[in-house]
Amino acid sequence: MPLVSLEGISRLYARADADVRALEDVWLDLERGELVTLTGPSGSGKSTLLHVLGLLDTPTAGRYRLGGEDVGGLDDDARAAQRNRSIGFVFQAFHLVPHLTIAENVELPLVYRGQARQDRRRRALAELERVGLADRVAHRPDELSGGEQQRAAIARALVIDPILLLADEPTGNLDEASAAIVLSIFGAVREAGTCVVVVTHNPRVASIGTRGYRLDRGRLEVAP
């Protein structure tokens, strides 16, 4: 059974002047240990598909199964619980809380879970070591470089031990050296068994995938 199964997913946004069909009959299966890249022009539906996968948006039609469970009909609270249990997010903007230390930022998903402070800190420190930031745990975000902030954001996404990691233009704000480090981390995460999905405009980033897809006007096709 696939980890992720999208069956005929469509997403229509109603507009006063004209409806916008962001996704059109998308079929996609994803397995554990894959790194799948999504490319396509602006407005092609890449972010919408990522939001559907991350339970941040609800399809207009079709079925979404995650870990064998039909998650399309979950209410808002159940969707939030599923995200906190199963899905990690990494964005182009790092979204770190400026007044918290890096370790405290990484702990946040576990705070929402209600986990004990000692366990939260242990897991946060382990993830920061994993991404090469063991010597930055007491720093605040503005004391880190952009590449280091993105690695902290990745550690925060990984601290819940997600089965699915979703990244939207994760190297868009990074220099080449920092981007290479981030991509190596994604490769290691994939090898550890997590399914990683990366939206990108960068051909070099797209080339790291075990599979690549392109979206064009909401339709998904295998990338050339």
Side-chain angles (χ1 to χ4, degrees):
M1 178 183 298
L3 175 67
V4 167
S5 182
L6 301 183
E7 303 170 3
I9 293 291
S10 295
R11 182 62 170 101
L12 179 70
Y13 294 102
R15 298 288 188 266
D17 50 350
D19 292 344
V20 175
R21 191 168 292 276
L23 295 174
E24 178 70 36
D25 194 29
V26 171
W27 293 76
L28 179 65
D29 287 345
L30 303 174
E31 305 286 353
R32 293 178 185 271
E34 285 197 288
L35 199 163
V36 175
T37 58
L38 297 174
T39 60
S42 295
S44 61
K46 301 186 302 299
S47 291
T48 300
L49 180 54
L50 209 69
H51 290 169
V52 168
L53 287 168
L55 299 176
L56 296 171
D57 198 356
T58 305
T60 309
R63 176 177 289 178
Y64 175 15
R65 295 183 184 274
L66 178 62
E69 177 186 357
D70 188 343
V71 295
L74 298 179
D75 62 24
D76 289 346
D77 288 343
R79 290 162 71 86
Q82 182 71 267
R83 286 194 299 270
N84 190 251
R85 182 168 61 249
S86 304
I87 306 172
F89 297 90
V90 180
F91 300 100
Q92 182 173 350
F94 316 126
H95 298 306
L96 299 172
V97 181
H99 65 273
L100 298 180
T101 67
I102 295 304
E104 289 166 342
N105 268 278
V106 174
E107 287 181 41
L108 278 176
L110 303 180
V111 173
Y112 300 142
R113 280 187 179 181
Q115 288 191 224
R117 178 179 173 80
Q118 185 174 2
D119 186 43
R120 296 197 312 258
R121 181 52 56 97
R122 176 184 59 79
R123 294 183 63 174
L125 294 180
E127 292 304 332
L128 285 166
E129 182 173 4
R130 184 181 185 181
V131 299
L133 292 178
D135 59 343
R136 295 288 193 268
V137 297
H139 290 64
R140 287 183 168 75
D142 63 1
E143 299 174 308
L144 272 60
S145 69
E148 289 172 332
Q149 289 186 62
Q150 188 62 295
R151 282 188 274 156
I154 294 170
R156 181 183 56 194
L158 295 176
V159 77
I160 65 167
D161 193 22
I163 58 175
L164 180 63
L165 179 65
L166 304 175
D168 196 352
E169 297 287 358
T171 64
N173 288 334
L174 305 182
D175 59 46
E176 187 172 338
S178 296
I181 294 172
V182 165
L183 296 182
S184 71
I185 293 170
F186 286 157
V189 170
R190 177 196 71 77
E191 290 175 0
T194 300
C195 180
V196 183
V197 180
V198 179
V199 164
T200 184
H201 282 102
N202 188 323
R204 179 170 175 270
V205 176
S207 71
I208 72 168
T210 56
R211 279 195 286 161
Y213 290 90
R214 175 180 168 82
L215 274 158
D216 187 12
R217 288 175 288 186
R219 292 189 173 275
L220 188 71
E221 57 190 32
V222 176

